[in-house]
Amino acid sequence: MLDHVEIVFENMKPMMKKLKKKNYKSNMEDFLGRYGHYFQEMTILTENADDKEAAADEIARTFAECVERKFTSPKKGRIDGVVQLDLNFFMIYYIFPAILKTGHEDAKLIADHIRDEWSRRFKDSDIQYTDYDSIYSAFREKIFGLF
């Protein structure tokens, strides 16, 4: 289930750099082209489960464990604060919108469980999410006209 899902973060830095409306759109298209199957797999797992809540919990745990394993510093035994901040933003801009973009009836359930697990597991990571269209429409040229 969700083998090597942490790979969705492999291009995190370039995808977050100089984030503008045009870049965000093309980044999301590329992201979904490469990794959309992971988000489809998540919805298939909940759809086929007898207990959707338990399935969403398992997806969230698996996802967070993979991220934690990949990004935990061997020297510090935890994820560095700057890296965690980058991960949080990437979750908000790409991961949650990608889940919701599946259009599946269980997408919000999955996103809720991942958000809750993320908040429990990672320090200073009480994040929220919204869909791609809401984020995209918030851009002028740059996000919220900033940067």
Side-chain angles (χ1 to χ4, degrees), residues 32-69:
L32 290 173
R34 278 192 212 178
Y35 309 114
H37 62 94
Y38 284 110
F39 308 109
Q40 294 295 328
E41 184 180 346
M42 290 176 184
T43 62
I44 290 167
L45 289 167
T46 57
E47 184 176 329
N48 294 329
D50 292 332
D51 183 346
K52 290 179 185 283
E53 293 283 336
D57 270 341
E58 181 61 26
I59 290 166
R61 263 191 313 279
T62 299
F63 183 85
E65 284 169 5
C66 289
V67 172
E68 188 172 39
R69 233 184 348 264

Side-chain angles (χ1 to χ4, degrees), residues 56-58 60-61 64 68 112-127:
D57 270 341
E58 181 61 26
R61 263 191 313 279
E68 188 172 39
D112 285 346
H113 282 262
I114 289 175
R115 177 203 56 212
D116 295 346
E117 179 67 23
W118 195 264
S119 294
R120 276 191 299 275
R121 186 177 294 257
F122 302 114
K123 182 181 178 189
D124 298 325
S125 296
D126 188 16
I127 59 176

Side-chain angles (χ1 to χ4, degrees), residues 9-83:
F9 291 90
E10 72 180 346
N11 293 319
M12 176 173 64
K13 290 233 183 250
M15 289 174 68
M16 295 301 293
K17 190 174 183 181
K18 297 183 181 176
L19 196 56
K20 298 180 180 178
K21 190 171 193 164
K22 184 174 80 172
N23 296 8
Y24 182 58
K25 182 178 182 176
S26 65
N27 286 351
M28 182 58 88
E29 289 169 359
D30 292 344
F31 182 73
L32 290 173
R34 278 192 212 178
Y35 309 114
H37 62 94
Y38 284 110
F39 308 109
Q40 294 295 328
E41 184 180 346
M42 290 176 184
T43 62
I44 290 167
L45 289 167
T46 57
E47 184 176 329
N48 294 329
D50 292 332
D51 183 346
K52 290 179 185 283
E53 293 283 336
D57 270 341
E58 181 61 26
I59 290 166
R61 263 191 313 279
T62 299
F63 183 85
E65 284 169 5
C66 289
V67 172
E68 188 172 39
R69 233 184 348 264
K70 178 172 179 58
F71 291 99
T72 295
S73 165
K75 290 181 182 180
K76 295 181 182 179
R78 61 178 173 79
I79 297 175
D80 182 67
V82 173
V83 174

Side-chain angles (χ1 to χ4, degrees), residues 87-136:
L87 290 169
N88 291 348
F89 278 115
F90 196 77
M91 291 291 292
I92 293 165
Y93 283 103
Y94 292 100
I95 302 298
F96 290 122
I99 293 167
L100 297 175
K101 241 177 160 358
T102 65
H104 194 277
E105 66 183 32
D106 295 334
K108 186 172 176 351
L109 173 72
I110 295 165
D112 285 346
H113 282 262
I114 289 175
R115 177 203 56 212
D116 295 346
E117 179 67 23
W118 195 264
S119 294
R120 276 191 299 275
R121 186 177 294 257
F122 302 114
K123 182 181 178 189
D124 298 325
S125 296
D126 188 16
I127 59 176
Q128 297 300 317
Y129 67 86
T130 190
D131 60 63
Y132 169 82
D133 292 328
S134 296
I135 293 172
Y136 185 76

